[in-house]
């Protein structure tokens, strides 16, 4: 143990000496010799003058150097002090190393032991690294083998899938054979097996195209099953089609049954086109005859419940009520008024009525009910709309046709029926003179066309257009005939003159309001143009009739009564901003103002003319010209004060007698009294001018406020 300690001490001393060997190359046992400037080699490349300058400047910036320079310390003495201090510190450091020599030796031994341990660890890790390299190569080999096995597995599975499908398709199950041969076609199992059979037929076709020999094993049995299935399907569908022909049969029920088995026709179309064409042709022929028979019979029976009294060529708006009629002719005025009046006929265009139940002719005959033509037209065409839409949807679904093919098939079925209906419409239109009935039929068709467009069913579009091409020209012709009848009317042949509304203007008002109200939903510019022409002719007719009265007052009363009546009737149905309403409002206002002036003229004409004359002179500044009319002014003042109440009462009574519409009469009286107060206010204003302030008659003027209060008592209340 002692030897070990000594050895460790020697080792520590040696390590201390080695450490000191790395200290600066200076003397360790004595005072350090001062650095002499002579020892510096100023000619070497390391110490050029510029660098010396830089070092000097840098040292001069040091705080310690600055302090030494400031206090004037002797650098040599100071250098010796520094060397002494360094030697002392060095000796102390050596003593510390010697003191810790045992610990340093212990640390050395521990480091040596650690080095050996780390060396062994290094060997182990190197072995591990070698083992891991060999394992990695083995893993890569296994991975490559796994990928290869996975590819082989996928290939085998793909082959198995194809072979399995091929084997499954090449096998015809016994259940399929027994079901196709023995089960009714309406069984769900038959339908399922038919799908499977169709798949096998398609598969064998594909294999035959590829020249696969295995398909020869099942080709014969598949063909036999196909023939049997086609035979049973053909028999089933034809039986359903033949059932349509039975009397009183609701063909929609067997149609719904066929839709449940629409795959039957698809199977025939794919595998036996000849049979599919036979069934399609049989269906087209059967349904064409059914629809034709039904609509021909229904249209004929509908005409039996039409009103017996219909319009003819003499039932025009301008035909006089006193026209001669034969012994068997219908009463003129009554008939014509119903022709030009809409009444409840317009309710037919409401959604509830438009798509309401169709008329049952024999039920109507039993109840002795009669209908206008537009009701029959609505019932007939709603039946066509309902059946046509249903038929188009059926053939599109069952026969699997779309676009032009679907339209062609629909026309093959409904073409004969539509032609018959067009021919019937054409014969009716040629002899029709009921313009409201024709116009209602037009708007019924426009609404039905909108319904089919909303449903996305274009099958009846051409038929709608064809009927509209029949109805529009006829409506315009009847309207033009009415226009000509009013234009050619002779006022002198219309009987006794009367200031009350004329029956021709009433016809026009009823007719115009009917057409305008119907036309609001689907406006037509041609209709507006014809109505404007008709309105012009009616206005001219009213002016011609008014000219027959000898006095202007009677003429104005006649004009106001007729304008007011036409405006009232129009406003019941037409919009307030329609051209017809606005036109008659302007005419009524103009004639009313003129009549008020005419009404005020007899009792208050002198005062009115004086006020107008004075106001003109006031504007010119020439009022002095009336200064000499004191007697005239006094007479006007006293005359008004004494007679205005009686005159107002007389005016009110005359207006009430002259106008059939009390509301209009009240409005005219109010307008007249208002105008009278304005004139009297103007009279006051003139007499308050300096020119007339000295008149004695001014004191007899009635107070304007008092006059207004008294006038209000004479306003009639209805």
């Amino acid at each position: 143990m002692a030897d070990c300690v000594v050895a460790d001490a020697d080792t520590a001393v040696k390590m201390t000496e080695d450490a000191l060997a790395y200290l600066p190359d200076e003397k360790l046992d004595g005072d350090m010799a001062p650095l002499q400037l002579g020892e510096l080699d100023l000619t070497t490349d390391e110490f050029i003058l510029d660098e010396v300058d830089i070092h000097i400047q840098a040292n001069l910036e040091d705080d310690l150097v600055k302090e030494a320079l400031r206090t004037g310390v002797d650098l040599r003495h100071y250098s010796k002090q520094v060397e002494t201090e360094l030697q002392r510190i060095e000796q102390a450091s050596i003593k510390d190393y010697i003191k810790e020599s045992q610990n340093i030796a212990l640390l050395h031994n521990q480091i040596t032991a650690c080095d050996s341990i780390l060396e062994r660890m290094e060997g182990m890790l190197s072995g591990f690294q070698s083992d891991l390299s060999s394992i990695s190569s083995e893993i890569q080999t296994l991975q490559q083998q796994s990928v290869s096995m996975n590819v082989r597995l996928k290939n085998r599975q793909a082959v198995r899938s194809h072979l399995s499908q091929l084997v499954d398709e090449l096998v015809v199950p016994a259940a399929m054979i027994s079901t196709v041969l023995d089960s009714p076609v309406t069984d769900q199992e038959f339908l399922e097996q038919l799908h499977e059979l169709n798949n096998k037929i398609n598969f064998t076709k594909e294999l035959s195209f590829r020249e696969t020999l295995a398909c020869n094993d099942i080709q014969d049995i598949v063909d036999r099953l196909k023939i049997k299935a086609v035979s049973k399907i053909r028999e089933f569908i034809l039986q359903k089609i033949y059932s349509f022909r039975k009397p009183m049969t609701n063909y929609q029920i067997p149609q719904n049954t066929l839709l449940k088995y629409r795959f039957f026709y698809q199977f025939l179309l794919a595998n036996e086109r000849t049979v599919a064409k036979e069934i399609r042709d049989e269906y087209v022929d059967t349904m064409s005859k059914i629809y034709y028979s039904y609509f021909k019979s229904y249209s004929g029976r509908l005409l039996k419940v039409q009103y017996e009294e219909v319009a003819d060529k003499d039932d025009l708006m301008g035909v006089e009520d006193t026209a001669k009629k034969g012994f068997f002719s219908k009463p003129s005025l009554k008939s014509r008024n119903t022709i030009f009046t809409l009444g409840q006929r317009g309710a037919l265009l409401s959604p509830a009525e438009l798509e309401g139940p169709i008329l049952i002719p024999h039920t109507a005959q039993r109840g002795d009910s009669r209908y206008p033509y537009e009701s029959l037209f609505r019932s007939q065409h709603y039946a066509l709309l309902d059946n046509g839409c249903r038929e188009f949807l059926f053939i599109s679904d069952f026969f699997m046709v779309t676009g032009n093919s679907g339209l062609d098939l629909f026309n093959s079925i409904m073409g004969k029926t539509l032609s018959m209906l067009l021919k019937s419409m054409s014969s009716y239109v040629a002899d029709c003179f009921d313009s409201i009935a024709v116009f209602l039929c037009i708007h019924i068709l426009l609404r039905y066309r909108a319904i089919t467009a909303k449903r996305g069913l274009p099958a009846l579009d051409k038929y709608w257009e064809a009927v509209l091409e029949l109805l529009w020209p006829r409506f315009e012709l009847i309207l033009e005939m009415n226009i000509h009848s009013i234009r050619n009317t002779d006022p002198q042949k219309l009987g006794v003159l009367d200031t009350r509304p004329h029956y021709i203007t009433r016809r026009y008002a009823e007719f115009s309001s009917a057409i305008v109200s119907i036309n609001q939903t689907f406006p037509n510019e041609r209709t507006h143009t014809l109505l404007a022409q008709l309105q012009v002719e009616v206005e001219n007719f009213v002016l011609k009739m008014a000219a027959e009265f000898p006095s202007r007052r009677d003429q104005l009363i006649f004009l106001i009564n007729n304008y007011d009546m036409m405006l009232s009737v129009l406003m019941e149905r037409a919009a307030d901003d329609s051209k017809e309403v606005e036109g008659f409002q302007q005419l009524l206002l103009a004639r009313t103002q003129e009549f008020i002036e005419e009404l005020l003229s007899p009792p208050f004409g002198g005062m009115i003319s004086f006020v107008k004359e004075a106001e003109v002179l006031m504007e010119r500044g020439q009022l002095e010209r009336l200064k000499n009319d004191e007697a005239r002014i006094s007479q006007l003042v006293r005359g008004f004060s004494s007679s205005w109440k009686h005159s107002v009462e007389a005016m009110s009574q005359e207006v009430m007698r002259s106008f059939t519409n009390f509301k209009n009469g009240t409005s005219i009286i109010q307008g007249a009294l208002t105008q009278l107060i304005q004139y009297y206010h103007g009279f006051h204003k003139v007499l308050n001018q300096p020119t007339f302030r000295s008149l004695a008659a001014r004191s007899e003027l009635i107070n304007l406020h008092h006059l207004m209060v008294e006038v209000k008592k004479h306003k009639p209340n209805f």
Side-chain angles (χ1 to χ4, degrees):
M1 178 66 69
D3 294 339
C4 183
V5 170
V6 171
D8 290 341
D10 293 341
T11 303
V13 170
K14 185 177 184 301
M15 290 176 64
T16 303
E17 291 175 353
D18 293 339
L20 292 175
Y22 288 99
L23 294 176
D25 189 16
E26 299 170 351
K27 294 180 179 181
L28 300 177
D29 53 347
D31 294 334
M32 296 178 63
L35 182 66
Q36 299 296 327
L37 293 175
E39 296 175 0
L40 297 174
D41 187 3
L42 301 179
T43 63
T44 63
D45 294 334
E46 296 178 0
F47 298 99
I48 59 176
L49 292 176
D50 291 339
E51 291 179 350
V52 171
D53 257 350
I54 292 172
H55 287 300
I56 292 173
Q57 292 296 329
N59 291 329
L60 288 177
E61 295 295 328
D62 186 81
D63 292 337
L64 189 61
V65 175
K66 287 181 179 180
E67 179 66 20
L69 292 175
R70 186 177 62 80
T71 55
V73 175
D74 186 357
L75 294 179
R76 289 185 180 85
H77 178 71
Y78 183 72
S79 173
K80 288 181 179 182
Q81 288 181 351
V82 170
E83 289 178 356
T84 303
E85 183 67 21
L86 288 174
Q87 288 176 359
R88 185 184 62 77
I89 293 172
E90 181 182 0
Q91 294 298 325
S93 176
I94 292 171
K95 290 179 181 179
D96 288 339
Y97 271 100
I98 294 171
K99 182 179 178 181
E100 296 294 331
S101 60
Q102 292 183 356
N103 293 335
I104 292 172
L106 180 61
L107 178 62
H108 175 74
N109 292 334
Q110 291 176 350
I111 290 173
T112 303
C114 287
D115 284 342
S116 64
I117 292 172
L118 290 175
E119 184 177 359
R120 289 197 301 273
M121 289 294 295
E122 181 181 3
M124 292 174 62
L125 292 175
S126 298
F128 288 158
Q129 183 177 9
S130 175
D131 294 341
L132 287 175
S133 298
S134 63
I135 290 173
S136 175
S137 62
E138 290 177 3
I139 290 174
Q140 289 179 353
T141 303
L142 291 175
Q143 184 178 8
Q144 292 174 357
Q145 292 176 357
S146 175
V147 171
S148 176
M149 292 175 65
N150 189 34
V151 171
R152 290 198 299 272
L153 176 61
K154 288 183 178 179
N155 292 336
R156 290 177 181 178
Q157 288 178 341
V159 171
R160 179 182 178 183
S161 174
H162 287 294
L163 288 176
S164 175
Q165 181 181 359
L166 178 63
V167 171
D168 289 342
E169 295 294 342
L170 287 174
V171 173
V172 180
M176 176 186 293
I177 298 173
S178 61
T179 301
V180 172
L181 294 178
D182 302 327
S183 297
V185 295
T186 54
D187 285 358
Q188 181 64 27
E189 187 178 358
F190 180 87
L191 185 61
E192 293 174 358
Q193 293 298 334
L194 189 66
H195 279 279
E196 291 297 325
L197 177 60
N198 189 57
N199 292 335
K200 290 188 181 299
I201 292 172
N202 293 332
F203 188 71
T204 55
K205 289 179 181 178
E206 183 179 352
L207 292 180
S208 298
F209 179 74
R210 296 177 181 176
E211 298 181 353
T212 304
L213 297 178
C215 73
N216 297 329
D217 296 337
I218 64 167
Q219 186 69 52
D220 183 60
I221 190 170
V222 168
D223 290 342
R224 290 182 182 183
L225 288 176
K226 180 182 74 171
I227 293 171
K228 183 62 177 178
V230 168
S231 175
K232 294 177 70 173
I233 291 171
R234 174 182 176 277
E235 182 181 358
F236 171 75
I237 296 178
L238 288 179
Q239 283 179 354
K240 291 297 178 184
I241 294 174
Y242 293 152
S243 67
F244 296 169
R245 302 175 180 180
K246 296 179 181 179
M248 307 299 294
T249 299
N250 184 0
Y251 60 86
Q252 293 175 3
I253 295 175
Q255 273 186 339
N256 293 334
T257 303
L258 287 176
L259 283 178
K260 290 195 299 184
Y261 302 103
R262 61 174 64 87
F263 181 72
F264 288 174
Y265 184 79
Q266 182 180 347
F267 181 83
L268 295 178
L269 196 63
N271 300 291
E272 198 62 52
R273 286 185 172 272
T274 305
V275 177
K277 184 177 184 303
E278 177 191 2
I279 289 176
R280 175 168 164 169
D281 293 343
E282 194 66 33
Y283 178 84
V284 169
D285 181 65
T286 300
M287 294 307 298
S288 176
K289 291 177 180 178
I290 289 175
Y291 282 125
Y292 180 81
S293 175
Y294 168 74
F295 278 101
K296 183 177 182 180
S297 173
Y298 184 65
S299 301
R301 285 184 282 124
L302 277 179
L303 292 177
K304 294 180 181 179
V305 295
Q306 185 182 1
Y307 281 131
E308 295 179 358
E309 185 179 348
V310 295
D312 58 27
K313 62 181 180 179
D314 295 323
D315 290 317
L316 299 174
M317 197 177 297
V319 175
E320 57 271 16
D321 185 36
T322 57
K324 299 295 183 180
K325 288 286 182 178
F327 180 76
F328 296 102
S329 299
K330 56 188 181 294
S332 304
L333 180 60
K334 182 178 179 181
S335 299
R336 294 196 186 101
N337 282 345
T338 57
I339 291 171
F340 301 113
T341 303
L342 183 62
Q344 296 300 318
R345 299 167 73 181
L348 199 65
L349 297 178
S350 65
E353 290 288 335
L354 199 66
E355 300 184 52
I358 63 174
L359 297 176
I360 310 299
H362 63 270
T363 304
Q365 284 180 315
R366 257 200 312 266
D368 200 23
S369 300
R370 291 291 183 269
Y371 300 92
Y373 180 78
E374 62 270 12
S375 295
L376 311 181
F377 181 88
R378 196 278 320 171
S379 183
Q380 181 188 59
H381 283 80
Y382 185 64
L384 177 64
L385 169 70
D386 186 52
N387 285 277
C389 291
R390 187 185 299 272
E391 185 63 31
F392 185 76
L393 290 174
F394 173 80
I395 62 176
S396 298
D397 196 359
F398 186 78
F399 292 106
M400 298 178 296
V401 289
T402 57
N404 292 330
S405 300
L407 293 177
D408 292 340
L409 182 57
F410 179 83
N411 290 329
S412 300
I413 297 170
M414 298 292 293
K416 189 176 179 182
T417 302
L418 297 179
S419 299
M420 180 269 295
L421 292 176
L422 278 174
K423 185 177 180 181
S424 175
M425 280 297 305
S426 179
S427 62
Y428 166 76
V429 167
D431 296 327
C432 177
F433 294 90
D434 187 351
S435 52
I436 290 182
V438 175
F439 200 59
L440 284 171
C441 292
I442 289 173
H443 278 264
I444 288 171
L445 279 190
L446 292 176
R447 283 160 174 79
Y448 282 162
R449 185 173 66 178
I451 290 173
T452 55
K454 185 177 180 181
R455 295 179 182 178
L457 302 173
L460 291 170
D461 287 353
K462 289 185 178 180
Y463 175 76
W464 301 141
E465 295 299 329
V467 178
L468 288 173
E469 288 176 3
L470 286 175
L471 294 176
W472 273 118
R474 187 63 186 180
F475 172 73
E476 294 173 359
L477 175 63
I478 300 172
L479 206 53
E480 289 173 354
M481 291 172 65
N482 282 286
I483 292 172
H484 288 301
S485 69
I486 294 177
R487 183 183 301 156
N488 298 329
T489 299
D490 186 357
Q492 295 181 356
K493 295 181 180 179
L494 297 180
V496 181
L497 292 176
D498 192 345
T499 57
R500 289 176 297 182
H502 199 274
Y503 58 82
I504 290 182
T505 58
R506 180 171 291 279
R507 292 175 189 169
Y508 162 76
E510 295 284 356
F511 177 78
S512 182
S513 65
I515 299 301
V516 169
S517 63
I518 296 172
N519 200 48
Q520 287 175 352
T521 307
F522 292 91
N524 179 267
E525 195 59 35
R526 176 63 176 162
T527 303
H528 287 305
T529 303
L530 291 172
L531 284 179
Q533 295 178 11
L534 182 62
Q535 181 179 348
V536 170
E537 295 301 331
V538 170
E539 291 174 5
N540 293 337
F541 165 75
V542 173
L543 293 176
K544 287 193 295 183
M545 284 297 301
E548 297 294 317
F549 291 92
S551 67
R552 182 57 181 168
R553 178 174 295 192
D554 289 341
Q555 292 177 0
L556 291 173
I557 292 172
F558 176 81
L559 292 173
I560 291 173
N561 275 330
N562 280 276
Y563 291 153
D564 177 65
M565 181 273 298
M566 289 188 284
L567 187 60
S568 300
V569 174
L570 281 170
M571 291 183 69
E572 289 178 3
R573 297 185 182 275
D576 293 342
D577 58 349
S578 65
K579 295 180 180 179
E580 292 79 9
V581 171
E582 291 179 354
F584 284 115
Q585 282 178 338
Q586 295 174 2
L587 290 172
L588 178 62
L589 180 62
R591 298 290 79 80
T592 301
Q593 292 296 327
E594 185 179 353
F595 177 76
I596 288 174
E597 296 292 335
E598 189 73 22
L599 187 65
L600 294 174
S601 181
F604 308 108
M607 181 190 69
I608 293 171
S609 61
F610 173 77
V611 170
K612 291 180 178 179
E613 181 183 0
E615 288 177 347
V616 173
L617 293 175
M618 284 173 61
E619 291 179 0
R620 299 177 182 175
Q622 301 175 357
L623 194 59
E624 294 291 335
R625 295 174 57 180
L626 297 176
K627 189 174 183 181
N628 297 326
D629 291 345
E630 294 183 6
R632 175 188 172 191
I633 296 171
S634 300
Q635 183 181 359
L636 291 175
V637 172
R638 296 188 182 99
F640 182 86
S641 300
S642 61
S643 63
W644 74 270
K645 290 184 179 181
H646 175 73
S647 300
V648 168
E649 187 67 30
M651 283 193 310
S652 299
Q653 294 177 2
E654 182 181 355
V655 169
M656 289 297 103
R657 287 194 304 268
S658 300
F659 298 101
T660 55
N661 185 351
F662 289 140
K663 184 178 179 181
N664 184 43
T666 302
S667 176
I668 291 174
I669 292 174
Q670 291 177 351
L673 295 179
T674 302
Q675 190 67 30
L676 175 62
I677 291 174
Q678 290 178 354
Y679 279 132
Y680 198 69
H681 179 263
F683 192 50
H684 265 265
K685 185 177 179 181
V686 171
L687 295 186
N688 284 334
Q689 298 300 315
T691 306
F692 303 109
R693 286 180 181 175
S694 60
L695 288 177
R698 288 183 69 253
S699 60
E700 300 180 27
L701 286 171
I702 300 174
N703 182 271
L704 195 61
H705 179 70
H706 175 70
L707 179 64
M708 292 173 64
V709 173
E710 291 296 323
V711 162
K712 286 183 179 180
K713 298 178 182 179
H714 292 273
K715 289 184 178 181
N717 295 317
F718 296 99

